[in-house]
Structures are given as C-alpha cells and as structure tokens.
Amino acid sequence: MSWEKNVRRVVPYTPGEQPRGERIIKLNTNENPYPPSAAVLPSLIDIGKGEFRRYPDPKAEDLVEAIAETYGLTKKQVFVGVGSDDVLAMLFLTFFNGGKPVLFPDVTYSFYEVWCDLFRIPYTAKPLDENFHIRTEDYLSPNGGIVLANPNAPTGSLLPLSEIERIVSANADSVVIVDEAYIDFGGESALPLIDKYENLVVVQTFSKSRSMAGLRVGYAMGSERLIRFLQDAKYSFNSYTLSTPIIRAAAAAMRDTEHFQQNCQKIVRTRGRAERRFRELGFCFEESAANFLFVTHPLLPARQIFEYLRGRGIYVRWFDRDRIRNYLRVTIGTDEEMQEFFEVLEGYVYKVRSYGAGEETSC
Ligand code: PMP
C-alpha cells in the first residue's frame, strides 16, 4: 500500500509485564515496594475545585523549585517531564543530531536503541567487559553523544564518579547523559559535575527511590544553557505534559527528604540480605548499587527458573537477549516478599538438584 512506505517504522520498547491480582509478588520492573511520602496523597486530593478547568503551569514551577532547593541548584538548571523516559526521549531529540554515532553499552536500558531508531540517530553499542562493567576507553573516541545508565540496568553495576568525569571531560564536543534512575540506592551522583561541564546532563526519576512510578515524573539537571535548549525543544512539542495534581504531589514528595532516605535505606538493607540468600543457593552476581540484583546460576537455566516462579505468581525479569539470556533481574521487594520469593526459589533449586542436574560449581 502506498501510504505504508511513508510510515516511520519502529520496533517498540517492551516494558515488563504488569500482571494484576492480589496473590502475586512483583519483582520484575524495579518499582519500589513501599508507599510514597505521606504528603503525596493529600496533595493529589486537595486541589481547589476550579483548578481542573485551567491548564497546568507549563513550567511546573512548584516542582522545579522543590528539585532546585533539594539539590542546591538554580531553577534554570532543572527540567521536568513525564517520567525519565519522557526526559530522556527529549534529550535524545535535542542533543543527538551530530551525525556521528551515539555511544552506549551493549547491555543497558534497551529504550536507548529504540529512541535512536525512532529519531534516526546512528549509534554504536559498546560491549561491556566479561563482568558486565563499562570500559571507559570505549567512550573516549569521537561520537555524536553518550548515554550511560549509572548504576547500569539491568546489571546494577556502578561506574565510579572519577570514570564518569574522565568520559565527560574527554567529550567536550558532545552531550553526555548520565541516567541515574537508580543512583539513590548506593551510588555517587554525577550532579556536582554539572557546574564544571556544560555538556553533562544528569537524569533522575520519582519512579524508584520515591515510589511514584505510577505518577510519572522524571527530571534532568544540567547547565542553564543546556536546559534552555531542552526546554525549547519541549515547548515545540507539547507544553502541558505534567498535570496540576502531579506537579503538586511530586513537589511535596521531593521536599520529604526524611521519608526518601528511610525508604532507600530499607531497600539497601533488604538487598544485603537477598545477596546472602542468593549466594547460599549457588547464584552468581556482581555487586549492585541499584534496587535489583542481576543473577545467574551455573547449573540452572534462567528461563526455567523464570517460568517456574511465574507459575507460582512470582514475577522477575528475564531478557531474551544475547549475553544475558541466562540471567534474571530481581527487584528488591519488601522483606516479606523476599522471604516468600526465596522459599519458592529454594524449593526449586533443591528439587532440581535432587534430580542430579549437575555437580556443585562455584561462581
Ligand atoms: N532509565 C533506566 C535505566 C530505567 O531502568 C528506567 C525504568 N524503566 C527508566 C530510565 C525510566 O523510568 P521512568 O520513566 O519511570 O522514570
């Protein structure tokens, strides 16, 4: 058909399953198992009656201010969007126009290649080393931009700040995006570098450490000049993306630092316990600075474990992709959820072992 040859064809990103039901344990999309700040709900409800008639504040000033205050920035250094996916897409559109390939790791957030395809941005995926760590040297050659998730997903590995700085300082001719969706669970943010490097932009989200994945809020922080370009593109696309209640709720959540810190600490403690349980069951994994662990077992195929768990209402993430087909990404849930998860997993491991699925091996 003639119209079809003019279609912008893309293979869309595949999000993790969102199963419904009471008796499930959902450890597949890196959501936070705890509720958001208690300030969120009242600000969603407590909206003056007339306000829904009006358009929201296109600048989301209240939220921008809360973020700027929290991180000691000027309001002109902050950009907000509908989840960090929206922010990242806008960054790709605005800054990756150089013609040279954009660089990111071969194992990383799979939306990066989707946006490149959508916006027709050339890219090169740089292989992580054999332990799934980023090789800094891969990002020191000419490029059209760089995007790094730090901690990386789905591996959880953290690139030290000194290595991030090496990459940013060696690439003054291109924009470097550091996607810090998981930074609050144990990493050192690259944020202090934005005053030193105009080409650096740091992206964070309310979806993980602030327990608000369903409300969809993300933000970017960078030099005033860079943020201005980003805003110009955004206001040329869709000005009213965040609704009035969401702007208020997110601003209130950002100001509740105590809840935020306690929330992160709980996850980090549970992650430590989960590491020990995985090790006892013979799983191998690298250190994670995120709210998930990326595990593999020397004897048990990941896909079979995934399907066994799924059959029992426990959802983890398995990626049908080269290099990581034998891995599972397990989000850290509550202690109770992890307890149940490990009971079921232990049952499986012992059952398979008793059939003599192989000898003991170590990582
Ligand atoms: N970056 C990374 C590395 C992620 O894993 C995710 C979550 N899928 C996102 C960005 C997007 O998160 P959100 O749009 O919910 O902020």
Side-chain angles (χ1 to χ4, degrees), residues 20-26 309-310 312-315 340:
R20 304 278 158 206
E22 307 243 305
R23 289 286 312 145
I24 61 155
I25 296 185
K26 199 171 168 306
L309 292 170
R310 198 165 177 275
R312 279 146 193 84
I314 298 177
Y315 290 77
E340 231 180 298

Side-chain angles (χ1 to χ4, degrees), residues 13 29-30 82-88 108-112 115 148-154 179-182 203-208 212-214 216-219 292 317 329:
Y13 170 74
T29 50
N30 297 341
V82 184
S84 51
D85 281 342
D86 179 41
V87 174
L88 287 161
T108 191
Y109 186 34
S110 47
F111 225 139
Y112 300 156
W115 286 315
L148 298 173
N150 199 42
N152 196 11
D179 175 357
E180 295 188 348
Y182 302 102
V203 179
Q204 296 189 1
T205 177
F206 282 68
S207 298
K208 318 294 178 182
M212 287 167 64
R216 312 301 302 126
V217 187
Y219 50 106
F292 54 84
R317 192 84 189 259
R329 192 194 67 190

